[in-house]
Amino acid sequence: MEIAKVGVVGCGTMGSGICEVVAKAGLTVSFVEVTPDRVEAGLDRIRGSLRRAVDRGKLSEGDFDAVVGRISGDTSYETLGDADLVVEAVPERLAMKQDTFRQLDAVMKPDAILATNTSSLPVTDIAVTTHRASRILGFHFFNPAPVMKLIELVTTVVTDEQVIADAKAFAERIGKTPVVAKDRAGFVANLLLFPYLNQAVGMLESGYATREDIDAAMQLGAGHPMGPLALMDLIGLDSAYAIMMRMYEQFGDTRHAPRPVIRQLLAADFKGRKAGRGFYDYIKPNQPAVEDLRGSGAPTDPDAIAAWSTIGVLGTGTMATGIAEVSAKAGFDVVLRGRTVDKADKAKGVVDTSLGRAVDKGKLDADARDEALNRIATTDDVADFSGCDLVVEAVAEDLALKRDCFAQLDAATKPEAVLATSTSSMSVIDCAMATSRPERVVGLHFFNPAAIMRLVEVVPTVRSDERTVTESRAFATKVGKHPVLCRDRAGFIVNALLFPYLNDAVKMLDEGYATVTDIDRAMKLGCGHPMGPFELMDIVGLDVTLEIVKALHTEFREPGFEPAPLLRHMVSAGYLGRKAGRGFHVYG
């Protein structure tokens, strides 16, 4: 069916955005509001958005007039009687949506498609109030609708296949990317997003890390455009609470149940950015936060490591060479130890290559490259760490191996030296207790590639002293990184939030809820993630993903962290991701 005329019910934030998108695509659109004043307010909202586009040079004056000319508003449902598609965008109350659909069903032509823009309510419960359930589906735009490219097409068990095809064609015509999902609370994007957001709130609530460090970790360590707590404020804590409650009511998973602090903030009328206060304070409603969201509390103290001159790196793998590179570039002498001198020399060669690429890209001059490389000495003897102020262990993720390394480092280094592990998921205290100086042991989790990624998670144990933490944070800053502080729990901040989300995506796929491609698209286009969950797992390695998920499940005993059976099967089959030529996607 050719969709030529579109109707919209409700012209608030979402409804006005939908009208704008449709009219920009050259289609006629009519909207309905409850009063003439609301109609005029809706038109003003649309004109204001279009005027901002003109001011930014993204729309000409002629196009402004043409788009506005395609949009009309009224208070009567009869004005939508000849529409081919009507999108309902009234508040998220089931009874209100059902009443809207009953009235639309009575006035619209028999072959018209009715769609709801609900973000979490059951589409089926809305569809059954009409006499055309087969021509009803969810049409979930993302906010702001003129900007966000994703539309979730939510089908019920009776939605006609041709309706789905027509809806997909329409979505593409108005410049959006459609993904098809089944009728479950949260659909694709919210069903994956909100357990992650809720877990981040739990981290803050338990004192695991500060709000600034949680948000900075996910921005800098996972590439998210916004940290989870700032995102909660942007969404609105009232909206987030309602979405999570609906998911909890449908699935009974405690990971969906809103954390108590969300309800407490709502009781205080702290609803997020729109209210001027949520997890953060805002200059005024709908304005930036009072403080930089990427701040990390107290500044680091460079004087704490003013006497440091030499850094040791134990290991020759990717993380070890990256840590050696950033330390040498920061002006430290570096002792790089491998199991053999040949392995250590090859690792230094990797650093040379990386520095060379930086020179080629104009990010480093040749003299600075030579100076950095000359600061790196190679060895196969741990005794050569004797003069180091800090030694970072970067060997394989094997606890027995790490504990043996720490015992050797304890014997080889001066008593005041800090010993650090770069583990991404193992308990730091287990490494610390292999030494006679657990108070001088800390986790320093660099992210791969260490030469580029700006984040370092600083992980003290219950035995680490304050001096060790202060020096470790200062070191991270000195080598050009942003330190965030968190407790010694499996996964620290980033992996503890990221990998349950990845595991949830595998479960969603395993249940046949949506395809790999659609899930990846939903999270990139709907949530702004740099990669979809399956693309990311293929890069990380499915075997690595499985081990981290298993470690999180062992540590927290959270039933929702149980590794997805499909993930286990993929690893058993050797489908490990890019490195194997096949994972959730096929390569080569």
Side-chain angles (χ1 to χ4, degrees), residues 47 68 90 108 237 242 273 284 341 438 485 558 568:
R47 286 190 288 257
V68 170
V90 304
M108 292 186 63
L237 301 189
R273 185 179 291 196
K284 58 182 180 180
V341 173
L485 193 65
E558 166 59 57
R568 293 182 184 273

Side-chain angles (χ1 to χ4, degrees), residues 262-270:
I262 301 175
R263 185 190 60 76
Q264 293 161 12
L265 288 169
L266 288 175
D269 206 29
F270 296 157

Side-chain angles (χ1 to χ4, degrees), residues 20-343:
E20 179 181 333
V21 168
V22 173
K24 279 181 175 177
L27 297 171
T28 300
V29 57
S30 300
F31 70 85
V32 171
E33 262 293 356
V34 292
T35 65
D37 286 348
R38 295 282 290 273
V39 170
E40 193 55 40
L43 290 170
D44 286 344
R45 190 175 290 110
I46 295 167
R47 286 190 288 257
S49 176
L50 292 169
R51 177 55 59 190
R52 288 191 292 274
V54 172
D55 293 342
R56 292 194 296 266
K58 296 184 176 181
L59 193 72
S60 69
E61 286 288 352
D63 287 339
F64 173 93
D65 293 336
V67 173
V68 170
R70 297 187 192 106
I71 303 171
S72 61
D74 207 319
T75 59
S76 172
Y77 284 102
E78 278 74 14
T79 195
L80 306 179
D82 61 344
D84 303 303
L85 165 70
V86 173
V87 181
E88 164 273 308
V90 304
E92 286 283 275
R93 294 197 288 274
L94 181 60
M96 180 181 289
K97 290 181 183 289
Q98 289 174 327
D99 182 62
T100 299
F101 268 68
R102 273 191 291 265
Q103 295 187 62
L104 287 170
D105 189 41
V107 302
M108 292 186 63
K109 56 189 182 181
D111 62 343
I113 298 172
L114 298 188
T116 174
N117 185 56
T118 182
S119 59
S120 60
L121 292 172
V123 177
T124 301
D125 289 355
I126 299 169
V128 295
T129 62
T130 74
H131 296 92
R132 63 178 84 205
S134 66
R135 302 197 67 75
I136 291 176
L137 76 166
F139 222 104
H140 182 214
F141 287 77
F142 283 69
N143 190 27
V147 176
M148 301 299 283
K149 293 296 185 182
L150 180 69
I151 289 180
E152 290 178 319
L153 300 180
V154 185
T155 65
T156 73
V157 292
V158 296
T159 305
D160 187 273
E161 288 295 329
Q162 187 57 51
V163 168
I164 300 170
D166 291 342
K168 289 177 70 174
F170 171 75
E172 291 165 354
R173 183 177 176 185
I174 62 174
K176 304 300 182 183
T177 300
V179 300
V180 178
K182 295 179 182 178
D183 186 18
R184 297 200 312 193
F187 312 140
V188 176
N190 284 349
L191 190 53
L192 291 178
L193 177 67
F194 277 90
Y196 151 74
L197 297 179
N198 202 32
Q199 187 184 349
V201 174
M203 275 189 176
L204 176 68
E205 191 176 49
S206 66
Y208 180 81
T210 67
R211 61 185 182 181
E212 292 86 0
D213 279 356
I214 292 168
D215 278 354
M218 297 313 293
Q219 286 178 286
L220 300 177
H224 291 185
M226 187 175 277
L229 301 174
L231 180 56
M232 286 279 285
D233 278 356
L234 181 64
I235 292 168
L237 301 189
D238 50 348
S239 298
Y241 185 90
I243 290 170
M244 284 190 273
M245 281 302 297
R246 290 188 189 110
M247 290 166 56
Y248 176 63
E249 288 163 4
Q250 181 163 15
F251 303 113
D253 187 340
T254 55
R255 294 171 61 220
H256 299 149
R259 301 291 303 191
V261 70
I262 301 175
R263 185 190 60 76
Q264 293 161 12
L265 288 169
L266 288 175
D269 206 29
F270 296 157
K271 297 178 182 177
R273 185 179 291 196
K274 63 188 176 186
R277 175 79 184 269
F279 288 105
Y280 291 91
D281 294 327
Y282 295 86
I283 296 169
K284 58 182 180 180
N286 297 313
Q287 294 294 312
V290 172
E291 65 270 60
D292 181 3
L293 297 185
R294 292 168 78 160
S296 62
T300 57
D301 179 12
D303 291 339
I305 58 169
W308 284 18
S309 61
T310 308
I311 305 300
V313 179
L314 179 61
T316 55
T318 302
M319 290 309 301
T321 56
I323 296 167
E325 178 179 339
V326 298
S327 299
K329 284 165 63 178
F332 291 108
D333 292 330
V334 176
V335 178
L336 180 58
R337 189 264 183 181
R339 283 180 291 177
T340 66
V341 173
D342 183 57
K343 284 184 178 294

Side-chain angles (χ1 to χ4, degrees), residues 315-542:
T316 55
T318 302
M319 290 309 301
T321 56
I323 296 167
E325 178 179 339
V326 298
S327 299
K329 284 165 63 178
F332 291 108
D333 292 330
V334 176
V335 178
L336 180 58
R337 189 264 183 181
R339 283 180 291 177
T340 66
V341 173
D342 183 57
K343 284 184 178 294
D345 287 341
K346 286 180 179 177
K348 183 176 179 179
V350 172
V351 176
D352 189 11
T353 300
S354 177
L355 292 170
R357 285 195 296 267
V359 171
D360 293 341
K361 293 176 182 177
K363 296 181 178 180
L364 191 71
D365 63 50
D367 288 342
R369 173 199 59 196
D370 293 343
E371 289 173 6
L373 199 62
N374 289 336
R375 293 189 189 106
I376 301 175
T378 59
T379 184
D380 62 353
D381 190 349
V382 291
D384 289 333
F385 288 141
S386 60
C388 291
D389 303 292
L390 163 72
V391 180
V392 183
E393 165 272 309
V395 301
E397 288 284 274
D398 179 295
L399 182 58
L401 174 61
K402 288 181 181 291
R403 283 178 56 84
D404 180 62
C405 289
F406 270 81
Q408 294 183 53
L409 292 174
D410 187 40
T413 56
K414 55 190 180 184
E416 66 271 21
V418 174
L419 305 182
T421 174
S422 66
T423 182
S424 61
S425 59
M426 291 184 174
S427 174
V428 179
I429 189 63
D430 287 339
C431 297
M433 296 309 291
T435 74
S436 62
R437 62 178 106 179
E439 70 282 353
R440 297 293 285 164
V441 178
V442 71
L444 284 178
H445 180 215
F446 287 77
F447 284 72
N448 189 29
I452 296 173
M453 297 295 285
R454 287 192 53 218
L455 183 70
V456 170
E457 291 175 318
V458 178
V459 189
T461 74
V462 292
R463 293 287 297 268
S464 303
D465 63 26
E466 198 58 41
R467 176 187 166 198
T468 300
V469 176
T470 299
E471 291 172 344
S472 297
R473 293 181 69 238
F475 169 73
T477 302
K478 174 74 172 176
V479 299
K481 305 304 179 184
H482 182 105
V484 298
L485 193 65
C486 62
R487 293 182 180 176
D488 183 19
R489 303 285 189 275
F492 311 135
I493 296 175
V494 175
N495 286 352
L497 291 176
L498 182 63
F499 281 83
Y501 148 75
L502 298 177
N503 194 46
D504 285 345
V506 181
K507 292 177 182 177
M508 181 179 282
L509 175 67
D510 201 12
E511 293 165 2
Y513 181 66
T515 67
V516 166
T517 300
D518 278 355
I519 294 170
D520 276 351
R521 283 177 179 165
M523 300 314 293
K524 288 190 291 184
L525 300 180
C527 300
H529 291 185
M531 283 184 283
F534 298 108
E535 293 171 325
L536 180 56
M537 282 185 279
D538 279 356
I539 288 176
V540 170
L542 272 63

